[in-house]
Amino acid sequence: AQRVTQPEKLLSVFKGAPVELKCNYSYSGSPELFWYVQYSRQRLQLLLRHISRESIKGFTADLNKGETSFHLKKPFAQEEDSAMYYCALAASGGYNKLIFGAGTRLAVHP
Amino acid sequence: GAGVSQSPSNKVTEKGKDVELRCDPISGHTALYWYRQRLGQGLEFLIYFQGNSAPDKSGLPSDRFSAERTGESVSTLTIQRTQQEDSAVYLCASSLNTGAGELFFGEGSRLTVL
């Protein structure tokens, strides 16, 4: 069965500190992984996807198949990064049924 | 419209009543999804539409839940004989195609069953 685990409900850091939001997945096939973000009073939106290998708003995420992880990282957190972050997994080669983790709330303090 | 639109934004109902939740996807998006988010939990997949057909209904929690889509546009999620455990935010999303594309979410419909 496909499963996404985000072990931290809340991650609290100070501005300028490094951030790592953890995501582990369980899937027997070749996964496609995503990070979605929900800022206060905004809709859930795509932040980045592993196939693009891009950096968005300073965030990066590397797929580690050996550790079945897709952790989200940023070297220097900003207050505007405070939001709810969801890791999501889709089975490759099919329709885009996304399985979401429970989410991690990132709070960046001044 | 500019984005995915859902109505009502809030619904309070009594246990045993039926409710209908509506989703207007982004024009031209062929794929439409319903998710449920209970308090403090992640998004739970309910059902997916490709055009007007639903190839995957695996997430519907019981036969009290049903959904339809017409005109490859508007979708309605119906919950019959609501129970307190149905209380949640129901999110709709649409995407341009069924590949690994980006899902665009609505603001959700918050359902409270008393």
Side-chain angles (χ1 to χ4, degrees):
Chain A
Q2 300 165 34
R3 183 186 296 273
V4 177
T5 303
Q6 294 180 252
E8 302 144 326
K9 282 188 178 286
L10 172 66
L11 185 61
S12 187
V13 301
F14 286 104
K15 176 182 173 181
V19 167
E20 181 178 68
L21 290 93
K22 291 184 167 49
C23 172
N24 288 90
Y25 66 90
S26 174
Y27 179 57
S28 58
S30 181
E32 294 180 11
L33 285 144
F34 307 80
W35 277 98
Y36 276 75
V37 61
Q38 188 166 26
Y39 300 102
S40 179
R41 288 183 290 277
Q42 294 188 27
R43 302 169 187 223
L44 191 60
Q45 59 187 286
L46 178 67
L47 179 63
L48 55 78
R49 68 194 84 183
H50 92 271
I51 56 173
S52 300
R53 303 186 66 82
E54 57 199 347
S55 174
I56 302 293
K57 298 184 179 181
F59 284 97
T60 59
D62 291 319
L63 176 60
N64 185 323
K65 291 188 177 180
E67 296 183 356
T68 60
S69 68
F70 188 57
H71 303 328
L72 184 68
K73 300 177 183 179
K74 184 169 182 176
F76 308 103
Q78 303 299 313
E79 289 180 67
E80 55 265 30
D81 296 328
S82 296
M84 197 73 183
Y85 291 81
Y86 295 93
C87 183
L89 175 151
S92 61
Y95 60 84
N96 198 5
K97 171 184 172 178
L98 285 189
I99 305 298
F100 284 83
T104 298
R105 179 167 298 283
L106 174 63
V108 182
H109 303 285
Chain B
V4 177
S5 177
Q6 291 187 246
S7 62
S9 55
N10 271 290
K11 176 72 175 179
V12 180
T13 190
E14 293 179 348
K15 177 181 172 181
K17 295 285 179 68
D18 297 351
V19 296
E20 283 190 353
L21 307 176
R22 177 188 168 105
C23 174
D24 278 282
I26 292 172
S27 178
H29 280 195
T30 60
L32 185 148
Y33 312 79
W34 283 99
Y35 287 86
R36 177 170 72 176
Q37 186 172 32
R38 290 184 165 134
L39 188 63
Q41 298 186 23
L43 280 71
E44 176 188 4
F45 172 81
L46 297 179
I47 189 170
Y48 146 82
F49 287 91
Q50 174 56 38
N52 292 333
S53 63
D56 190 341
K57 305 179 183 179
S58 63
L60 293 178
S62 75
D63 59 7
R64 296 187 295 105
F65 287 72
S66 63
E68 64 174 16
R69 188 180 185 193
T70 56
E72 298 196 356
S73 179
V74 173
S75 176
T76 303
L77 177 68
T78 302
I79 309 173
Q80 295 178 309
R81 304 181 302 283
T82 53
Q83 303 295 312
Q84 288 185 333
E85 61 263 27
D86 298 335
S87 296
V89 175
Y90 290 83
L91 287 167
C92 176
S94 68
S95 68
L96 191 57
N97 55 43
T98 58
E102 179 177 357
L103 264 61
F104 292 84
F105 283 85
E107 293 183 320
S109 292
R110 181 177 298 277
L111 174 65
T112 303
V113 182
L114 301 177

